[in-house]
Amino acid sequence: MSRRLRTSTILLAIVALTASCGTEQPSGGWIVSTPGAAPPAAFSAAVRPIDDHEAASLMAQLLESREPPVLAIDRIVGARDQRFVAVFLELIRAGELGLLPGENGDEGVRAERVGRFAGAAELLTGQALGSDWPAWVEWYGATDLAPPPGFLAWKGEVFARIDPRFRDLFQAQHESLIRVEEILWGGVRVDGIPALMNPPTLAAADSVLLTDFDPVFGLEVGGEARAYPLRIMDWHEMANDVLGGAPISLSYCTLCGAAIAYHGRASDGKIYTFGSSGLLYASNKLMYDHQTRTLWNQFTGEPVQGPLVN
């Protein structure tokens, strides 16, 4: 069943919101790539392809090995399996964040491991982006590459090293309507930006915190009007409330400057409340519902990954 939240009319008293929106030699010196070159042909065409079972094993080795996983890298590069480009990009970022085993705060070890992953990505793609993770993300977004089977669950394990609750938001048994490779960590844990749940209200005349010039998000439902101050939404980004007798969810993305109000009763007749997942997609926040932990697109009000997509 297709599920979608209904968008309510919202009047924004917001002024000047804006949307935010040389070759590097990999550490260790073990590979060199040429800008714009095709993937190297130095490997025999008879190399056995990597099947799904081996792919899962290789991804586990790359993530779990306390020593540089040289054999796993050599196997992937030798097979010229471009499905693993997405895997290496995740590992570059994980290395930058100190999420890989065996580093123990040693910058040299971290740099060497990140360099190996970047070097493998260069060999598989012919790109010369070194360990410049933002450049890799931008490049990957313009390709039609796809990750190996099991990537979503594996990515959940990577993010779980930041917050174990991320594991529940990467539900590999369910369909995804977006490229999961392009889901990025937004810099906070799950609910690290706490949503407001039925927040207390007061009459405008009784407010001592706001001036006549403070921007607010104005919403009217069923003849009842309410203003949600920007200075408060900046700290919470989500508000679950009841207005005019109807459940509503107001979502504010600080990155793109968009505030959207949704009727909390979705097209399946059920009421959902939302929190901030800590994840981004295409520079826009992904919210999640408390009832099923499905990820939702904040712009469209549609579920994009999880149980409600099926």
Side-chain angles (χ1 to χ4, degrees):
M1 175 187 295
S2 175
R3 295 170 175 83
R4 183 169 182 155
L5 294 174
R6 289 179 286 154
T7 308
S8 300
T9 301
I10 182 168
L11 305 177
L12 303 185
I14 299 299
V15 180
L17 277 179
T18 57
S20 65
C21 306
T23 302
E24 180 178 343
Q25 175 81 11
S27 179
W30 65 292
I31 61 173
V32 178
S33 63
T34 303
F43 305 101
S44 169
V47 171
R48 174 173 54 85
I50 297 172
D51 61 28
D52 293 352
H53 177 75
E54 185 183 8
S57 175
L58 288 169
M59 285 192 290
Q61 292 175 48
L62 291 170
L63 180 60
E64 301 295 341
S65 175
R66 298 192 63 82
E67 299 296 328
V70 177
L71 294 180
I73 293 174
D74 287 349
R75 171 70 176 114
I76 293 165
V77 174
R80 288 189 277 181
D81 195 329
Q82 289 189 310
R83 298 178 301 170
F84 282 85
V85 173
V87 174
F88 288 127
L89 301 195
E90 291 292 345
L91 291 168
I92 291 171
R93 183 58 171 159
E96 291 178 345
L97 296 174
L99 302 179
L100 300 178
E103 296 179 355
N104 296 323
D106 189 317
E107 180 61 23
V109 172
R110 185 206 64 79
E112 181 196 9
R113 184 168 296 201
V114 168
R116 289 181 182 273
F117 294 143
E122 288 188 328
L123 278 178
L124 289 174
T125 65
Q127 301 301 306
L129 301 177
S131 56
D132 187 344
W133 179 75
W136 277 114
V137 170
E138 182 177 358
W139 173 85
Y140 189 93
T143 73
D144 58 0
L145 295 177
F151 174 81
L152 181 57
W154 176 86
K155 181 167 181 166
E157 292 302 317
V158 177
F159 278 50
R161 297 185 175 192
I162 301 171
D163 182 346
R165 292 173 294 177
F166 278 128
R167 187 181 290 113
D168 298 332
L169 298 180
F170 290 88
Q171 303 185 54
Q173 70 273 30
H174 298 292
E175 184 181 355
S176 178
L177 299 183
I178 57 178
R179 292 182 78 182
V180 296
E181 313 98 287
E182 296 187 67
I183 296 176
L184 307 178
W185 181 47
V188 296
R189 297 171 180 253
V190 178
D191 290 325
I193 303 174
L196 294 170
M197 299 294 294
N198 299 309
T201 62
L202 74 165
D206 296 331
S207 174
V208 296
L209 296 177
L210 300 179
T211 72
D212 292 341
F213 301 99
D214 277 304
V216 300
F217 300 104
L219 183 61
E220 181 179 355
V221 178
E224 183 180 5
R226 189 163 297 160
Y228 297 85
L230 175 60
R231 65 164 65 183
I232 293 178
M233 293 304 297
D234 258 337
W235 285 95
H236 295 277
E237 296 191 3
M238 290 289 313
N240 298 284
D241 209 348
V242 176
L243 187 62
I248 63 103
S249 291
L250 175 63
S251 176
Y252 172 56
C253 179
T254 56
L255 286 178
C256 59
I260 304 176
Y262 293 106
H263 197 295
R265 190 180 300 277
S267 56
D268 62 2
K270 296 181 180 178
I271 295 175
Y272 297 96
T273 57
F274 295 88
S276 293
S277 68
L279 303 173
L280 303 174
Y281 180 77
S283 296
N284 191 48
K285 71 180 293 177
L286 290 172
M287 53 189 188
Y288 80 98
D289 70 74
H290 298 131
Q291 288 68 34
T292 71
R293 304 188 81 76
T294 293
L295 293 173
W296 296 65
N297 185 315
Q298 187 251 357
F299 260 147
T300 66
E302 295 177 309
V304 293
Q305 206 290 308
L308 298 182
V309 175
N310 294 346

